[in-house]
């Protein structure tokens, strides 16, 4: 009698697991990672370029990331017409945690419109290429950054805009201008007066012609322009799958926890 109850309970658990697995599969859309559609060249094909670019992204817990040798950066969208993907930058970041957009895009073709940089609470504007850095007093995306300043302290340059980050040295850092915060943005317009013409994030171009014999040649040169993304593509073992984001992305782990819970229950009932 006791054995029969245990077998019935085991059958119930197995049926429940099968139902859960089937329901989860029905809600998973093929060739999608969350709300982002995946298609050529990010799907495995015979093309050597496609096989390399599949390493460029990673789907983790239904969130899509740009893979680099320093970690994973969240992707907000992919534009297959312009062949660009956008790495999101949802909030102001301290200059101590600066990640250069030039480093992220180094080695890839230039995007249709340049990646830019917003710098906040800067006390200096002296730089060898200061002509590339403009005031943007009408743009206050990082308004919260100003609230921490003491009333009697005046910041000479509350907002600075680097129009095209590729024109600066790759080793440029906000600390060079004594800035407290920064935001990566890309241009919607090339007009210097259009300070509102920016979108948050960094654009990476994957418009790599099929006739390129080896896009990893740059990584082999002594002074090759091999950024953290291209380096990860060409040397997959150097990829680090730690999420780089203000808000941590945690895996739900449901598919793992449910079978584990079932095994524990079965052990308690003496079935296994």
């Amino acid at each position: 009698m006791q054995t029969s109850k245990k077998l019935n309970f085991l059958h119930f658990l197995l049926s429940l697991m099968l139902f859960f697995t089937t329901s989860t599969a029905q809600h998973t859309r093929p060739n999608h990672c969350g709300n982002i559609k995946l298609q050529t060249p990010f799907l495995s094909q015979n093309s050597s370029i496609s096989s390399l670019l599949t390493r460029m992204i990673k789907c983790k817990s239904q969130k899509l990331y740009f893979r680099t040798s320093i970690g994973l950066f969240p992707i907000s969208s992919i534009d297959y017409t312009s062949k660009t993907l956008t790495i999101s930058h949802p909030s102001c970041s301290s200059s101590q945690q600066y990640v250069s957009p030039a480093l992220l895009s180094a080695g890839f073709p230039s995007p249709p419109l340049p990646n830019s940089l917003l710098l906040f609470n800067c006390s200096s504007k002296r730089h060898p290429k200061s002509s590339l850095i403009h005031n943007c007093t009408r743009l206050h995306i990082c308004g919260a950054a100003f609230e921490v300043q003491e009333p009697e302290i005046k910041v000479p340059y509350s907002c600075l805009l680097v129009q095209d980050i590729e024109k600066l040295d790759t080793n440029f850092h906000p600390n060079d201008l004594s800035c407290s915060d920064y935001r990566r943005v890309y241009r919607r317009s090339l007009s210097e007066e259009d300070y509102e013409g920016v979108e948050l994030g960094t654009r990476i171009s994957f418009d790599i012609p099929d006739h390129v014999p080896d896009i990893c040649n740059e990584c082999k040169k002594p002074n090759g322009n091999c950024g953290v993304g291209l380096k990860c593509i060409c040397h997959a073992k150097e990829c680090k799958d730690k999420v780089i984001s203000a808000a941590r992305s945690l895996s739900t782990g449901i598919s793992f926890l449910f079978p584990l819970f079932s095994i524990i229950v079965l052990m308690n009932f003496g079935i296994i």
Side-chain angles (χ1 to χ4, degrees), residues 5-269:
K5 288 184 177 179
K6 290 181 178 180
L7 290 176
N8 288 336
F9 184 71
L10 176 60
H11 182 266
F12 168 76
L13 279 179
L14 292 176
S15 300
L16 188 61
M17 289 173 63
L18 180 61
F19 171 78
F20 178 81
T21 303
T22 304
S23 299
T24 302
Q26 290 176 348
H27 287 84
T28 302
R29 294 179 296 173
N31 301 337
H32 277 77
C33 182
N35 295 323
I36 301 178
K37 183 178 181 180
L38 300 180
Q39 62 187 52
T40 306
F42 298 116
L43 298 179
S44 298
Q45 292 183 345
N46 295 329
S47 170
S48 59
I49 296 298
S50 294
S51 62
L52 285 172
L53 292 185
T54 54
R55 305 176 191 170
M56 189 176 182
I57 60 175
K58 181 179 180 67
C59 187
K60 185 176 183 180
S61 302
Q62 287 302 300
K63 293 183 179 180
L64 193 62
Y65 296 95
F66 176 60
R67 300 190 74 187
T68 76
S69 58
I70 60 176
L72 301 175
F73 290 81
I75 295 175
S76 57
S77 64
I78 297 180
D79 188 332
Y80 292 99
T81 302
S82 64
K83 294 187 177 181
T84 56
L85 60 82
T86 301
I87 301 174
S88 60
H89 192 145
S91 61
C92 286
S93 301
S94 168
S95 60
Q96 303 303 320
Q97 302 170 334
Y98 177 68
V99 177
S100 171
L103 188 63
L104 293 174
S105 60
F108 292 98
S110 298
L113 291 176
N115 286 310
S116 304
L117 187 67
L118 287 173
L119 303 170
F120 297 92
N121 300 337
C122 306
S123 59
S124 173
K125 199 179 178 182
R126 294 182 179 180
H127 190 270
K129 294 187 177 181
S130 58
S131 60
L132 303 174
I133 304 172
H134 306 274
N135 290 330
C136 49
T137 54
R138 288 184 289 164
L139 190 60
H140 298 287
I141 296 180
C142 289
F146 307 130
E147 296 176 2
V148 299
Q149 299 291 333
E150 296 294 334
E152 63 273 10
I153 298 179
K154 295 182 180 181
V155 181
Y157 308 103
S158 59
C159 175
L160 295 176
L161 171 65
V162 181
Q163 296 258 12
D164 188 348
I165 195 66
E166 290 185 7
K167 294 182 180 180
L168 288 179
D169 297 332
T170 54
N171 59 356
F172 171 82
H173 196 284
N175 289 342
D176 297 343
L177 302 177
S178 300
C179 306
S180 64
D181 302 275
Y182 79 98
R183 245 185 177 180
R184 298 191 310 268
V185 296
Y186 63 91
R187 302 290 297 170
R188 281 202 316 258
S189 170
L190 293 177
S191 171
E192 293 186 4
E193 299 299 325
D194 187 12
Y195 298 122
E196 304 282 338
V198 294
E199 293 283 355
L200 296 174
T202 302
R203 279 194 165 177
I204 308 295
S205 174
F206 54 88
D207 186 14
I208 302 175
D210 291 334
H211 64 269
V212 175
D214 186 359
I215 63 173
C216 296
N217 282 339
E218 285 291 326
C219 291
K220 301 174 183 177
K221 297 177 181 178
N223 297 314
N225 191 19
C226 186
V228 293
L230 183 59
K231 189 175 182 180
C232 188
I233 290 177
C234 299
H235 306 283
K237 292 183 179 179
E238 297 188 19
C239 286
K240 297 180 181 179
D241 288 348
K242 178 182 179 181
V243 176
I244 306 297
S245 176
R248 290 194 173 189
S249 174
L250 301 177
S251 172
T252 58
I254 295 177
S255 59
F256 169 76
L257 291 176
F258 188 82
L260 179 62
F261 171 77
S262 302
I263 293 174
I264 293 174
V265 172
L266 293 176
M267 291 179 65
N268 289 336
F269 274 81

